[in-house]
Amino acid sequence: MTKIAVENYQLAFYGNKVLKSRAKEVTEITQEIIELVDAMFQVMYRERGIGLAAPQITIPKRIIVVDLSAYKGPSLALVNPEIVRSSDNLVSYEEGCLSIPGIMRDVLRPDEIAIKGINLDGKEVRFDADGLLARVLQHEIDHLNGILFIDRLEPHVRRELTSELKRIKKLNRT
Ligand code: NI
């Protein structure tokens, strides 16, 4: 992989097939991966997001970054993240996505999860998350599985978005 300057990383928007595909496992934490994570943080800050998955910058790898420091939460990067347990209790919370700009909708998800993944030292980490952190982690891990939050809406709610989604699709550079 040639090094790409951060300003040249473009967001993938709704309609880009990288967002509908299952991203690939990372087999080793190389310098390349560390630089990619750094670029992901920079793109996330540039776009004023609180989470980003690698497919959103058109890189089909299982990597996510989250920064909830504005909400007194953690800042973290996780490689090959997996949800190992989800609570039965579902909560509704308004979500948005840098890949679907201008659309916010309530999405129902488990309120607590247990997560495992690999950190940038190559070590396995496991932790429980609730509240906003659980929400963002589930949203970002969905991206690694080709799922967007709009895919989790009731069909009639999703249908209301048709014309807006058509507009967003055009933001992808061909
Ligand atoms: Ni998103």
Side-chain angles (χ1 to χ4, degrees):
M1 191 166 84
T2 353
K3 200 171 173 191
I4 306 171
V6 171
E7 57 272 22
N8 294 328
Y9 276 108
Q10 298 298 325
L11 281 177
F13 295 101
Y14 166 82
N16 189 319
K17 67 177 188 320
V18 72
L19 297 177
K20 292 305 284 175
S21 322
R22 190 181 190 278
K24 293 207 169 57
E25 255 82 24
V26 173
T27 51
E28 202 190 338
I29 308 296
T30 58
Q31 188 56 31
E32 235 171 58
I33 295 295
I34 289 168
E35 285 169 13
L36 173 59
V37 167
D38 185 54
M40 287 172 65
F41 272 110
Q42 292 187 54
V43 172
M44 177 174 70
Y45 296 138
R46 183 186 78 198
E47 305 291 337
R48 306 196 182 290
I50 55 174
L52 190 79
Q56 291 184 277
I57 53 168
T58 73
I59 310 286
K61 291 185 192 293
R62 304 188 77 77
I63 307 174
I64 62 171
V65 296
V66 171
D67 190 343
L68 297 181
S69 51
Y71 303 88
K72 300 197 188 324
S75 170
L76 59 92
L78 269 185
V79 172
N80 301 340
E82 259 179 73
I83 296 168
V84 291
R85 194 169 41 76
S86 302
S87 64
D88 295 329
N89 189 33
L90 305 180
V91 284
S92 185
Y93 193 85
E94 192 175 60
E95 294 188 23
C97 180
L98 294 177
S99 296
I100 318 173
I103 294 181
M104 307 274 290
R105 285 294 183 282
D106 284 337
V107 182
L108 210 53
R109 296 187 191 268
D111 68 345
E112 283 179 68
I113 55 171
I115 283 269
K116 73 167 186 180
I118 309 286
N119 66 17
L120 292 186
D121 299 322
K123 301 226 163 66
E124 188 183 277
V125 289
R126 285 172 180 267
F127 57 94
D128 296 333
D130 60 7
L132 186 58
L133 180 60
R135 177 63 50 166
V136 178
L137 287 168
Q138 290 177 86
H139 177 117
E140 301 311 331
I141 290 170
D142 265 359
H143 274 301
L144 305 182
N145 296 321
I147 300 166
L148 299 173
F149 82 87
I150 54 172
D151 298 329
R152 295 194 176 277
L153 300 175
E154 297 281 343
H156 72 276
V157 179
R158 167 78 185 243
R159 238 173 281 127
E160 295 167 1
L161 303 174
T162 309
S163 65
E164 272 181 277
L165 289 175
K166 217 175 266 179
R167 169 186 62 79
I168 291 167
K169 212 170 184 168
K170 293 186 189 135
L171 298 173
N172 286 297
R173 298 202 170 170
T174 45

Short mmCIF file of all heavy atoms in Angstrom, two decimals, residues 55-111:
data_model
loop_
_atom_site.label_atom_id
_atom_site.label_comp_id
_atom_site.label_asym_id
_atom_site.label_seq_id
_atom_site.Cartn_x
_atom_site.Cartn_y
_atom_site.Cartn_z
N PRO A 55 -13.78 0.97 6.05
CA PRO A 55 -14.49 1.00 4.76
C PRO A 55 -15.02 2.39 4.40
O PRO A 55 -15.20 2.70 3.21
CB PRO A 55 -15.65 0.01 4.97
CG PRO A 55 -15.14 -0.93 6.02
CD PRO A 55 -14.32 -0.08 6.94
N GLN A 56 -15.23 3.24 5.40
CA GLN A 56 -15.74 4.59 5.12
C GLN A 56 -14.71 5.47 4.43
O GLN A 56 -15.04 6.52 3.91
CB GLN A 56 -16.20 5.27 6.41
CG GLN A 56 -17.45 4.63 6.99
CD GLN A 56 -17.92 5.40 8.19
OE1 GLN A 56 -17.42 5.18 9.28
NE2 GLN A 56 -18.85 6.33 7.98
N ILE A 57 -13.43 5.04 4.46
CA ILE A 57 -12.43 5.73 3.63
C ILE A 57 -11.96 4.77 2.54
O ILE A 57 -10.82 4.83 2.09
CB ILE A 57 -11.25 6.32 4.44
CG1 ILE A 57 -10.60 5.27 5.35
CG2 ILE A 57 -11.72 7.53 5.26
CD1 ILE A 57 -9.25 5.74 5.94
N THR A 58 -12.87 3.89 2.15
CA THR A 58 -12.72 2.94 1.04
C THR A 58 -11.65 1.87 1.26
O THR A 58 -11.18 1.26 0.31
CB THR A 58 -12.45 3.66 -0.33
OG1 THR A 58 -11.12 4.17 -0.34
CG2 THR A 58 -13.44 4.78 -0.57
N ILE A 59 -11.27 1.65 2.53
CA ILE A 59 -10.29 0.59 2.84
C ILE A 59 -11.05 -0.58 3.48
O ILE A 59 -11.52 -0.45 4.61
CB ILE A 59 -9.21 1.10 3.84
CG1 ILE A 59 -8.60 2.43 3.39
CG2 ILE A 59 -8.16 0.02 4.10
CD1 ILE A 59 -7.64 2.35 2.24
N PRO A 60 -11.19 -1.70 2.76
CA PRO A 60 -12.01 -2.80 3.28
C PRO A 60 -11.30 -3.66 4.33
O PRO A 60 -11.10 -4.86 4.13
CB PRO A 60 -12.36 -3.59 2.01
CG PRO A 60 -11.22 -3.33 1.08
CD PRO A 60 -10.66 -1.97 1.41
N LYS A 61 -10.91 -3.04 5.44
CA LYS A 61 -10.25 -3.76 6.53
C LYS A 61 -11.06 -3.59 7.80
O LYS A 61 -11.72 -2.57 7.99
CB LYS A 61 -8.83 -3.20 6.75
CG LYS A 61 -7.86 -3.49 5.63
CD LYS A 61 -6.47 -2.99 6.02
CE LYS A 61 -5.51 -2.98 4.86
NZ LYS A 61 -5.18 -4.33 4.36
N ARG A 62 -10.93 -4.61 8.71
CA ARG A 62 -11.71 -4.59 9.95
C ARG A 62 -11.02 -3.74 11.01
O ARG A 62 -10.38 -4.26 11.92
CB ARG A 62 -11.99 -6.02 10.44
CG ARG A 62 -12.68 -6.86 9.37
CD ARG A 62 -13.13 -8.21 9.89
NE ARG A 62 -14.34 -8.13 10.69
CZ ARG A 62 -15.56 -7.99 10.21
NH1 ARG A 62 -15.76 -7.89 8.91
NH2 ARG A 62 -16.59 -7.93 11.03
N ILE A 63 -11.16 -2.44 10.88
CA ILE A 63 -10.56 -1.48 11.82
C ILE A 63 -11.59 -0.38 12.09
O ILE A 63 -12.22 0.12 11.15
CB ILE A 63 -9.30 -0.81 11.24
CG1 ILE A 63 -8.30 -1.86 10.75
CG2 ILE A 63 -8.65 0.11 12.28
CD1 ILE A 63 -7.10 -1.27 10.02
N ILE A 64 -11.72 -0.01 13.37
CA ILE A 64 -12.58 1.11 13.73
C ILE A 64 -11.83 2.06 14.66
O ILE A 64 -10.94 1.65 15.41
CB ILE A 64 -13.91 0.65 14.40
CG1 ILE A 64 -13.63 -0.07 15.72
CG2 ILE A 64 -14.71 -0.22 13.46
CD1 ILE A 64 -14.90 -0.36 16.54
N VAL A 65 -12.22 3.32 14.61
CA VAL A 65 -11.73 4.29 15.59
C VAL A 65 -12.94 5.01 16.19
O VAL A 65 -13.96 5.19 15.52
CB VAL A 65 -10.73 5.32 14.99
CG1 VAL A 65 -9.46 4.63 14.52
CG2 VAL A 65 -11.36 6.13 13.86
N VAL A 66 -12.80 5.39 17.45
CA VAL A 66 -13.87 6.07 18.18
C VAL A 66 -13.22 7.14 19.03
O VAL A 66 -12.15 6.92 19.59
CB VAL A 66 -14.61 5.06 19.12
CG1 VAL A 66 -15.58 5.76 20.05
CG2 VAL A 66 -15.32 3.98 18.31
N ASP A 67 -13.83 8.31 19.12
CA ASP A 67 -13.35 9.31 20.08
C ASP A 67 -14.54 9.99 20.73
O ASP A 67 -15.25 10.77 20.11
CB ASP A 67 -12.45 10.36 19.41
CG ASP A 67 -11.78 11.24 20.46
OD1 ASP A 67 -12.24 11.25 21.63
OD2 ASP A 67 -10.80 11.93 20.12
N LEU A 68 -14.74 9.64 22.01
CA LEU A 68 -15.85 10.22 22.76
C LEU A 68 -15.33 11.17 23.83
O LEU A 68 -16.00 11.41 24.84
CB LEU A 68 -16.68 9.10 23.41
CG LEU A 68 -17.37 8.14 22.43
CD1 LEU A 68 -18.17 7.10 23.18
CD2 LEU A 68 -18.26 8.89 21.47
N SER A 69 -14.13 11.71 23.62
CA SER A 69 -13.55 12.58 24.66
C SER A 69 -14.42 13.82 24.90
O SER A 69 -14.44 14.34 26.01
CB SER A 69 -12.10 12.93 24.35
OG SER A 69 -11.97 13.41 23.05
N ALA A 70 -15.16 14.26 23.89
CA ALA A 70 -16.07 15.39 24.08
C ALA A 70 -17.24 15.01 25.00
O ALA A 70 -17.97 15.88 25.49
CB ALA A 70 -16.60 15.89 22.74
N TYR A 71 -17.45 13.72 25.20
CA TYR A 71 -18.53 13.22 26.06
C TYR A 71 -17.97 12.51 27.28
O TYR A 71 -18.61 11.64 27.85
CB TYR A 71 -19.42 12.25 25.26
CG TYR A 71 -20.01 12.86 24.01
CD1 TYR A 71 -19.31 12.82 22.80
CD2 TYR A 71 -21.25 13.49 24.04
CE1 TYR A 71 -19.83 13.39 21.65
CE2 TYR A 71 -21.79 14.05 22.90
CZ TYR A 71 -21.07 14.01 21.70
OH TYR A 71 -21.60 14.58 20.57
N LYS A 72 -16.73 12.85 27.62
CA LYS A 72 -16.03 12.24 28.75
C LYS A 72 -15.87 10.72 28.58
O LYS A 72 -15.81 9.96 29.54
CB LYS A 72 -16.74 12.55 30.08
CG LYS A 72 -16.84 14.05 30.38
CD LYS A 72 -17.15 14.28 31.84
CE LYS A 72 -17.47 15.72 32.21
NZ LYS A 72 -16.72 16.75 31.50
N GLY A 73 -15.81 10.29 27.34
CA GLY A 73 -15.62 8.88 27.04
C GLY A 73 -14.23 8.63 26.50
O GLY A 73 -13.41 9.55 26.41
N PRO A 74 -13.95 7.40 26.13
CA PRO A 74 -12.60 7.06 25.67
C PRO A 74 -12.35 7.40 24.19
O PRO A 74 -13.28 7.66 23.43
CB PRO A 74 -12.57 5.54 25.86
CG PRO A 74 -13.98 5.12 25.64
CD PRO A 74 -14.84 6.23 26.18
N SER A 75 -11.08 7.38 23.85
CA SER A 75 -10.65 7.45 22.46
C SER A 75 -9.94 6.12 22.21
O SER A 75 -9.06 5.74 22.98
CB SER A 75 -9.69 8.63 22.32
OG SER A 75 -9.08 8.59 21.06
N LEU A 76 -10.34 5.40 21.20
CA LEU A 76 -9.75 4.08 20.99
C LEU A 76 -9.75 3.66 19.53
O LEU A 76 -10.54 4.14 18.73
CB LEU A 76 -10.47 3.03 21.85
CG LEU A 76 -11.97 2.84 21.63
CD1 LEU A 76 -12.24 1.74 20.61
CD2 LEU A 76 -12.65 2.46 22.94
N ALA A 77 -8.82 2.75 19.23
CA ALA A 77 -8.78 2.11 17.92
C ALA A 77 -8.86 0.61 18.17
O ALA A 77 -8.23 0.10 19.10
CB ALA A 77 -7.48 2.45 17.21
N LEU A 78 -9.64 -0.09 17.40
CA LEU A 78 -9.78 -1.54 17.56
C LEU A 78 -9.67 -2.22 16.20
O LEU A 78 -10.28 -1.78 15.21
CB LEU A 78 -11.14 -1.90 18.15
CG LEU A 78 -11.30 -2.01 19.66
CD1 LEU A 78 -12.71 -2.50 19.96
CD2 LEU A 78 -10.27 -2.96 20.28
N VAL A 79 -8.88 -3.28 16.20
CA VAL A 79 -8.69 -4.08 15.00
C VAL A 79 -9.46 -5.40 15.19
O VAL A 79 -9.47 -5.95 16.31
CB VAL A 79 -7.18 -4.32 14.81
CG1 VAL A 79 -6.92 -5.31 13.68
CG2 VAL A 79 -6.47 -3.00 14.55
N ASN A 80 -10.10 -5.85 14.14
CA ASN A 80 -10.92 -7.08 14.19
C ASN A 80 -11.88 -7.09 15.39
O ASN A 80 -11.99 -8.10 16.11
CB ASN A 80 -10.02 -8.33 14.27
CG ASN A 80 -9.08 -8.44 13.09
OD1 ASN A 80 -9.30 -7.84 12.04
ND2 ASN A 80 -8.00 -9.20 13.26
N PRO A 81 -12.60 -6.00 15.61
CA PRO A 81 -13.50 -5.97 16.77
C PRO A 81 -14.68 -6.92 16.58
O PRO A 81 -15.14 -7.13 15.46
CB PRO A 81 -13.98 -4.51 16.80
CG PRO A 81 -13.94 -4.08 15.37
CD PRO A 81 -12.74 -4.79 14.78
N GLU A 82 -15.12 -7.47 17.70
CA GLU A 82 -16.26 -8.41 17.67
C GLU A 82 -17.13 -8.17 18.88
O GLU A 82 -16.61 -7.97 19.99
CB GLU A 82 -15.73 -9.83 17.81
CG GLU A 82 -15.65 -10.63 16.53
CD GLU A 82 -15.10 -12.01 16.83
OE1 GLU A 82 -15.85 -12.83 17.41
OE2 GLU A 82 -13.92 -12.23 16.53
N ILE A 83 -18.42 -8.25 18.68
CA ILE A 83 -19.34 -8.19 19.81
C ILE A 83 -19.51 -9.62 20.30
O ILE A 83 -19.95 -10.48 19.55
CB ILE A 83 -20.69 -7.59 19.38
CG1 ILE A 83 -20.48 -6.13 18.93
CG2 ILE A 83 -21.71 -7.68 20.51
CD1 ILE A 83 -21.66 -5.52 18.24
N VAL A 84 -19.13 -9.87 21.56
CA VAL A 84 -19.22 -11.24 22.07
C VAL A 84 -20.49 -11.47 22.87
O VAL A 84 -20.89 -12.61 23.10
CB VAL A 84 -17.96 -11.64 22.88
CG1 VAL A 84 -16.76 -11.77 21.95
CG2 VAL A 84 -17.66 -10.67 23.98
N ARG A 85 -21.12 -10.39 23.32
CA ARG A 85 -22.37 -10.52 24.07
C ARG A 85 -23.16 -9.23 23.92
O ARG A 85 -22.58 -8.15 23.92
CB ARG A 85 -22.05 -10.79 25.54
CG ARG A 85 -23.19 -11.27 26.39
CD ARG A 85 -22.71 -11.75 27.78
NE ARG A 85 -21.67 -10.89 28.36
CZ ARG A 85 -21.89 -9.71 28.91
NH1 ARG A 85 -23.12 -9.21 28.97
NH2 ARG A 85 -20.90 -9.02 29.42
N SER A 86 -24.48 -9.34 23.80
CA SER A 86 -25.35 -8.17 23.73
C SER A 86 -26.47 -8.33 24.74
O SER A 86 -27.00 -9.44 24.89
CB SER A 86 -26.02 -8.07 22.35
OG SER A 86 -25.06 -8.01 21.34
N SER A 87 -26.86 -7.26 25.39
CA SER A 87 -27.98 -7.35 26.33
C SER A 87 -29.28 -7.53 25.55
O SER A 87 -29.39 -7.15 24.39
CB SER A 87 -28.05 -6.08 27.18
OG SER A 87 -28.33 -4.97 26.35
N ASP A 88 -30.27 -8.12 26.24
CA ASP A 88 -31.58 -8.28 25.61
C ASP A 88 -32.33 -6.97 25.56
O ASP A 88 -33.24 -6.79 24.75
CB ASP A 88 -32.42 -9.30 26.40
CG ASP A 88 -31.80 -10.69 26.34
OD1 ASP A 88 -31.16 -10.99 25.31
OD2 ASP A 88 -31.93 -11.44 27.33
N ASN A 89 -31.93 -6.06 26.45
CA ASN A 89 -32.64 -4.79 26.52
C ASN A 89 -32.24 -3.87 25.36
O ASN A 89 -31.06 -3.54 25.20
CB ASN A 89 -32.30 -4.12 27.87
CG ASN A 89 -33.15 -2.90 28.11
OD1 ASN A 89 -34.31 -2.85 27.70
ND2 ASN A 89 -32.56 -1.90 28.74
N LEU A 90 -33.24 -3.47 24.56
CA LEU A 90 -32.96 -2.60 23.42
C LEU A 90 -33.32 -1.17 23.76
O LEU A 90 -34.29 -0.92 24.47
CB LEU A 90 -33.78 -3.05 22.21
CG LEU A 90 -33.63 -4.51 21.76
CD1 LEU A 90 -34.52 -4.78 20.55
CD2 LEU A 90 -32.17 -4.84 21.43
N VAL A 91 -32.53 -0.23 23.26
CA VAL A 91 -32.84 1.18 23.46
C VAL A 91 -32.79 1.89 22.11
O VAL A 91 -32.06 1.50 21.21
CB VAL A 91 -31.88 1.88 24.45
CG1 VAL A 91 -32.21 1.50 25.88
CG2 VAL A 91 -30.43 1.58 24.13
N SER A 92 -33.56 2.98 22.04
CA SER A 92 -33.62 3.76 20.81
C SER A 92 -32.75 5.00 21.00
O SER A 92 -32.77 5.63 22.06
CB SER A 92 -35.08 4.15 20.57
OG SER A 92 -35.18 4.80 19.35
N TYR A 93 -31.98 5.34 19.98
CA TYR A 93 -31.09 6.52 20.08
C TYR A 93 -30.88 7.04 18.67
O TYR A 93 -30.80 6.28 17.72
CB TYR A 93 -29.76 6.09 20.72
CG TYR A 93 -28.89 7.24 21.16
CD1 TYR A 93 -29.07 7.82 22.42
CD2 TYR A 93 -27.89 7.74 20.33
CE1 TYR A 93 -28.27 8.87 22.83
CE2 TYR A 93 -27.09 8.80 20.73
CZ TYR A 93 -27.28 9.36 21.99
OH TYR A 93 -26.49 10.40 22.38
N GLU A 94 -30.79 8.36 18.56
CA GLU A 94 -30.65 8.96 17.23
C GLU A 94 -29.23 8.79 16.70
O GLU A 94 -28.26 9.15 17.37
CB GLU A 94 -31.02 10.44 17.29
CG GLU A 94 -31.18 11.04 15.91
CD GLU A 94 -31.68 12.48 15.98
OE1 GLU A 94 -30.99 13.32 16.58
OE2 GLU A 94 -32.76 12.75 15.42
N GLU A 95 -29.13 8.24 15.49
CA GLU A 95 -27.82 8.04 14.88
C GLU A 95 -27.69 8.82 13.58
O GLU A 95 -28.67 9.09 12.90
CB GLU A 95 -27.60 6.54 14.56
CG GLU A 95 -27.53 5.70 15.81
CD GLU A 95 -27.14 4.24 15.54
OE1 GLU A 95 -26.50 3.95 14.51
OE2 GLU A 95 -27.48 3.41 16.39
N GLY A 96 -26.45 9.16 13.29
CA GLY A 96 -26.09 9.74 12.00
C GLY A 96 -24.87 9.00 11.53
O GLY A 96 -24.35 8.13 12.23
N CYS A 97 -24.40 9.31 10.33
CA CYS A 97 -23.24 8.61 9.78
C CYS A 97 -22.55 9.51 8.77
O CYS A 97 -23.23 10.13 7.95
CB CYS A 97 -23.72 7.32 9.10
SG CYS A 97 -22.40 6.35 8.37
N LEU A 98 -21.22 9.59 8.85
CA LEU A 98 -20.48 10.45 7.90
C LEU A 98 -20.70 10.01 6.45
O LEU A 98 -20.58 10.81 5.54
CB LEU A 98 -18.97 10.42 8.22
CG LEU A 98 -18.56 11.04 9.57
CD1 LEU A 98 -17.06 10.87 9.78
CD2 LEU A 98 -18.95 12.51 9.64
N SER A 99 -21.06 8.74 6.26
CA SER A 99 -21.29 8.23 4.90
C SER A 99 -22.72 8.48 4.41
O SER A 99 -23.03 8.18 3.26
CB SER A 99 -20.99 6.72 4.85
OG SER A 99 -19.62 6.50 5.12
N ILE A 100 -23.57 9.02 5.31
CA ILE A 100 -24.96 9.33 4.94
C ILE A 100 -25.27 10.73 5.48
O ILE A 100 -26.14 10.90 6.34
CB ILE A 100 -25.94 8.28 5.54
CG1 ILE A 100 -25.38 6.85 5.41
CG2 ILE A 100 -27.31 8.36 4.86
CD1 ILE A 100 -26.22 5.80 6.14
N PRO A 101 -24.55 11.74 4.98
CA PRO A 101 -24.65 13.07 5.59
C PRO A 101 -26.06 13.65 5.53
O PRO A 101 -26.77 13.48 4.54
CB PRO A 101 -23.66 13.91 4.77
CG PRO A 101 -23.44 13.17 3.50
CD PRO A 101 -23.61 11.71 3.85
N GLY A 102 -26.43 14.30 6.62
CA GLY A 102 -27.71 15.01 6.66
C GLY A 102 -28.87 14.17 7.12
O GLY A 102 -29.98 14.68 7.28
N ILE A 103 -28.66 12.87 7.35
CA ILE A 103 -29.76 12.01 7.79
C ILE A 103 -29.51 11.54 9.22
O ILE A 103 -28.44 11.05 9.54
CB ILE A 103 -29.94 10.80 6.84
CG1 ILE A 103 -30.39 11.29 5.47
CG2 ILE A 103 -30.94 9.80 7.41
CD1 ILE A 103 -30.64 10.21 4.44
N MET A 104 -30.50 11.76 10.06
CA MET A 104 -30.44 11.29 11.45
C MET A 104 -31.75 10.57 11.73
O MET A 104 -32.82 11.09 11.40
CB MET A 104 -30.36 12.47 12.43
CG MET A 104 -29.25 13.49 12.18
SD MET A 104 -27.69 13.03 12.93
CE MET A 104 -28.04 13.22 14.67
N ARG A 105 -31.66 9.39 12.31
CA ARG A 105 -32.88 8.66 12.66
C ARG A 105 -32.64 7.84 13.93
O ARG A 105 -31.52 7.44 14.22
CB ARG A 105 -33.29 7.68 11.54
CG ARG A 105 -33.92 8.34 10.31
CD ARG A 105 -35.26 9.00 10.60
NE ARG A 105 -35.89 9.57 9.42
CZ ARG A 105 -35.56 10.72 8.85
NH1 ARG A 105 -34.58 11.45 9.34
NH2 ARG A 105 -36.21 11.16 7.79
N ASP A 106 -33.72 7.58 14.66
CA ASP A 106 -33.64 6.72 15.83
C ASP A 106 -33.43 5.28 15.39
O ASP A 106 -34.11 4.81 14.47
CB ASP A 106 -34.93 6.82 16.64
CG ASP A 106 -35.00 8.11 17.45
OD1 ASP A 106 -33.93 8.69 17.72
OD2 ASP A 106 -36.12 8.53 17.80
N VAL A 107 -32.49 4.63 16.05
CA VAL A 107 -32.20 3.22 15.76
C VAL A 107 -32.27 2.45 17.08
O VAL A 107 -31.79 2.91 18.11
CB VAL A 107 -30.80 3.05 15.14
CG1 VAL A 107 -30.52 1.60 14.79
CG2 VAL A 107 -30.63 3.94 13.91
N LEU A 108 -32.88 1.27 17.01
CA LEU A 108 -33.01 0.40 18.18
C LEU A 108 -31.82 -0.56 18.23
O LEU A 108 -31.52 -1.24 17.24
CB LEU A 108 -34.31 -0.39 18.00
CG LEU A 108 -35.12 -0.85 19.18
CD1 LEU A 108 -35.44 0.30 20.13
CD2 LEU A 108 -36.40 -1.52 18.69
N ARG A 109 -31.13 -0.58 19.38
CA ARG A 109 -30.00 -1.52 19.54
C ARG A 109 -29.91 -1.95 21.00
O ARG A 109 -30.39 -1.24 21.89
CB ARG A 109 -28.67 -0.83 19.20
CG ARG A 109 -28.50 -0.37 17.77
CD ARG A 109 -27.07 0.12 17.59
NE ARG A 109 -26.85 0.81 16.33
CZ ARG A 109 -26.43 0.25 15.20
NH1 ARG A 109 -26.21 -1.05 15.16
NH2 ARG A 109 -26.24 0.97 14.10
N PRO A 110 -29.21 -3.06 21.25
CA PRO A 110 -28.93 -3.47 22.64
C PRO A 110 -28.22 -2.35 23.38
O PRO A 110 -27.38 -1.66 22.80
CB PRO A 110 -28.01 -4.69 22.48
CG PRO A 110 -28.34 -5.24 21.13
CD PRO A 110 -28.69 -4.05 20.28
N ASP A 111 -28.56 -2.15 24.67
CA ASP A 111 -27.94 -1.02 25.39
C ASP A 111 -26.59 -1.36 26.01
O ASP A 111 -25.84 -0.47 26.36
CB ASP A 111 -28.91 -0.42 26.42
CG ASP A 111 -29.22 -1.34 27.58
OD1 ASP A 111 -28.92 -2.54 27.48
OD2 ASP A 111 -29.78 -0.86 28.57
#
